[in-house]
Amino acid sequence: MAPMGIRLSPLGMAVFCLLGLGVLYHLYSGFLAGRFAFFMLSEPAAGGPEAPRGPTAAVDLRELLAVSMLAAARGGEEVRRVREGNVLNAKAKGKTREGAEEQLTSGDLLSNRRMVRLLRAAFPAVQINSEEHVDTADEEAVSWDRSIPEDVKQKIQPKEVPAESVTVWIDPLDATQEYTEDLRQYVTTMVCVAVNGKPVIGVIHKPFSEYTAWAMVDGGSNVKARSSYNEKTPRIIVSRSHAGKVEQVARQTFGNKTVIIPAGGAGYKVLALLDVAEKNQEEADVYIHVTYIKKWDICAGNAVLRALGGHMTTLTGEEINYTGPDGNEGGLIASINMDHKALIEKLPDLEKTSHK
């Protein structure tokens, strides 16, 4: 029962409620304003740490060329050290499509680790595709001092491209089979940079002579094409394992005087088309491969040839795209200072074997 003599005034209740609302507004308005200000100030900064990986990130191709050259050389040091120490620890890692055993050595793995770590440290926003696996949990600190070789500085101007347009292809040890047989002249380490699927930077390093060929499309290079070739006795360089497949068709196509040069390693074969300062380098006019081949085997050579005005295509003349799957199904034909289209028209039968 309500106490006698006390009556609740409607006007008083209204005033009391208004005072209460005023107190609540005073308390919470400052808080809400602060939270709004914090939100507005924080939103642009939220992407700060991730900004280098975003669509606005850019990489300088001249710097990427410089670090690619260093990576190839450092990988080559491991390749040479393992071979000279005779600690290859070679084992089969599988079979090729032709049924041959693919070899894996300590040289492949150690070279791959050094090359990948350096490139990742220098350009963390760039996609890197490598022949061998690197355990990211076992990463060690690697740094690059951003130095650029003088010959690169003189020939190449800085050029920035979006990071997401770049794919780097690494072959830490090309010609592993020949490496196990101690056929050192065929062995290379290679780095290729593709922009929107097109190869624009190629580095081919020979570990045992420490010779490095490099080139950048619309930039410069330290190699050049050979000025002439003999049309009457063309020299066709092919894989050692495929020489028999190519020889008969090549002689029918180019004539009985055609010279077939069996060799190991895609990098070595591309260098054979160029004028290089290497005493152990054979010379050829055309490079033909008639079966499936991985893109890290051929990307660097493709970039070098493009930079010098040459061509590397499938056997049907299609440009090879360096995004997506890591394999090239269409075989390849490479040439420089020749009518590439005419060469392709002479090879209608080879494409049939390229998918085997």
Side-chain angles (χ1 to χ4, degrees), residues 293-305:
I293 191 167
K294 293 295 182 68
K295 291 178 181 177
W296 43 65
D297 290 317
I298 59 176
C299 186
N302 198 343
V304 172
L305 288 172

Side-chain angles (χ1 to χ4, degrees), residues 208-231:
F208 297 101
S209 65
E210 300 186 50
Y211 171 78
T212 302
W214 62 264
M216 178 172 157
V217 175
D218 297 327
S221 70
N222 70 337
V223 290
K224 57 184 180 180
R226 286 188 292 106
S227 58
S228 62
Y229 64 96
N230 192 330
E231 294 186 16

